[in-house]
Amino acid sequence: MTVIRRLAQYVALPLALVAVAGYAWYQFSDTGKRWRYEEALASYCEGLIPPEESAVFTDYDTQEGLPKDLHIGGSDGYEFCWVGKTALTIARIPETARDDDGRRGVFDDLRPERTGTLPMALGGGWHGYTNLKSTAVVLDCGNQDASVVVNSSGIGDAVAGRGTAELVAATAVRAAEHWNCEAETGGPIPDVPAEPEEKSRFEAKGTCAGIPMRDLDSIHWIKETPTTDSSLLETCVLGETGASSVEMFQISAFFGPFAQAQYPDYESTRDAGRSGNDFSWATAKCPGTSARALFTISAAQYAHEEVPGFARSALTAFAERSAEQHGCTDLKLPG
């Protein structure tokens, strides 16, 4: 009997040491830290956050790195969660959905944060944009009348660069799988382009190309981005230089869910029109979606009586160029 007890002690002690060593390895090793992180992600934000791309922002920290996730809006709602200091909005949006301008919903969380940087295409074959603060990717569901959208926004002075775009794109792929959305994805995302700067109005070759700026001498500079059919937001800014640089016009295009997020009743009233003397809009029918693309021009200030006429011709040129590049038809312009 004594021999059996001694044998049990000899066996139990190594097993205990192995258990302690295993626990210590799980708690303190890099591999154990990664395993705990992946375990936490399995239930965090419906399991939609990719481990590899998110670890860049969390360093595998499950406390500060994954501080909060929410499901908003019931069975047809969307996911909102933090990855480090980056907030992600993840949604499946039917083509018929529109912002009802009521209580806060998914379209409010999809709107880009206001920055001085114009929206730029992500590249790599992804449909989306970044303005170095907000980044978004949209996957059109070929088997559904809907799209999957992932949008990011950050806090502080952090710049949303390539790492943010990779996180958003990888999350969109997981979300598409989650919602059984069959969609074409892109490839490796290139480095984010440099922030667009003011340049001469005679150098327009991107989003400002084709606008008849010679018709208004007070336009001294432009700010634009390259054009591509994968961008879902496009903007051209026209300005003048006096005592300081002043924006005169901002002309923008919105496609897919970003058009759906604008102006709740514009489609149910008129496909094109004007609101006062400082805002006009046009729309077009684009392939793959029932949501009409939206083109707008807003005037920050009026220099003289010729400006309203110029705004009309500028919106027309911008909308025609953008609609053609995106394969859109049935362009409706304000009279």
Side-chain angles (χ1 to χ4, degrees):
M1 199 64 181
T2 302
V3 173
I4 293 175
R5 286 175 183 168
R6 286 177 179 173
L7 286 173
Q9 289 173 352
Y10 291 144
V11 172
L13 181 59
L15 288 176
L17 291 175
V18 169
V20 170
Y23 177 79
W25 174 86
Y26 181 76
Q27 288 295 321
F28 302 111
S29 72
D30 289 341
T31 302
K33 185 178 182 181
R34 187 178 70 251
W35 283 7
R36 292 196 307 277
Y37 182 73
E38 292 175 353
E39 287 176 359
L41 282 181
S43 58
Y44 185 76
C45 205
E46 294 295 313
L48 300 178
I49 306 303
E52 182 177 349
E53 289 81 3
S54 63
V56 175
F57 300 87
T58 63
D59 193 27
Y60 298 108
D61 186 339
T62 61
Q63 299 300 316
E64 298 296 327
L66 306 175
K68 186 177 183 180
D69 64 329
L70 296 170
H71 176 80
I72 302 172
S75 59
D76 294 327
Y78 62 101
E79 309 304 319
F80 179 87
C81 51
W82 287 92
V83 177
K85 295 182 178 180
T86 298
L88 294 179
T89 299
I90 310 168
R92 175 190 173 277
I93 300 181
E95 292 180 0
T96 56
R98 300 292 184 272
D99 184 5
D100 61 6
D101 206 24
R103 63 187 179 88
R104 185 172 182 84
V106 64
F107 288 122
D108 297 287
D109 286 328
L110 287 182
R111 292 195 177 95
E113 290 195 37
R114 293 182 178 275
T115 71
T117 301
L118 304 188
M120 299 175 286
L122 290 180
W126 296 93
H127 289 269
Y129 83 94
T130 182
N131 65 5
L132 305 184
K133 190 69 174 178
S134 298
T135 300
V137 162
V138 173
L139 296 179
D140 295 323
C141 303
N143 60 331
Q144 305 172 24
D145 293 330
S147 58
V148 168
V149 186
V150 178
N151 184 79
S152 77
S153 60
I155 60 175
D157 298 326
V159 174
R162 182 178 180 181
T164 302
E166 291 174 338
L167 169 63
V168 169
T171 302
V173 171
R174 291 171 74 97
E177 294 173 352
H178 176 76
W179 280 304
N180 297 315
C181 166
E182 297 176 3
E184 294 185 6
T185 61
I189 296 175
D191 291 335
V192 174
E195 181 176 346
E197 298 180 348
E198 295 176 12
K199 61 183 182 180
S200 167
R201 65 177 185 164
F202 301 110
E203 299 179 47
K205 57 183 179 180
T207 51
C208 293
I211 295 174
M213 287 173 276
R214 295 179 183 273
D215 294 348
L216 195 64
D217 291 337
S218 56
I219 295 175
H220 300 146
W221 56 265
I222 65 170
K223 192 182 287 187
E224 65 173 0
T225 61
T227 59
T228 169
D229 59 4
S230 65
S231 178
L232 298 175
L233 292 175
E234 295 181 352
T235 298
C236 164
V237 175
L238 310 178
E240 70 172 331
T241 304
S244 60
S245 290
V246 178
E247 290 189 9
M248 294 183 65
F249 299 94
Q250 179 165 302
I251 320 172
S252 299
F254 306 85
F255 297 91
F258 296 100
Q260 294 172 247
Q262 301 295 318
Y263 313 110
D265 296 322
Y266 80 86
E267 281 192 83
S268 62
T269 53
R270 289 178 294 169
D271 287 337
R274 282 192 291 272
S275 177
N277 291 322
D278 58 359
F279 181 81
S280 301
W281 74 92
T283 64
K285 176 69 175 70
C286 299
T289 178
S290 62
R292 292 179 68 86
L294 176 65
F295 311 96
T296 67
I297 185 168
S298 56
Q301 65 181 45
Y302 283 105
H304 48 71
E305 65 276 4
E306 294 180 13
V307 170
F310 170 78
R312 189 181 306 113
S313 62
L315 176 61
T316 298
F318 178 88
E320 287 177 344
R321 188 273 311 157
S322 184
E324 181 180 2
Q325 182 156 32
H326 285 79
C328 303
T329 57
D330 189 34
L331 176 62
K332 304 293 187 184
L333 295 162

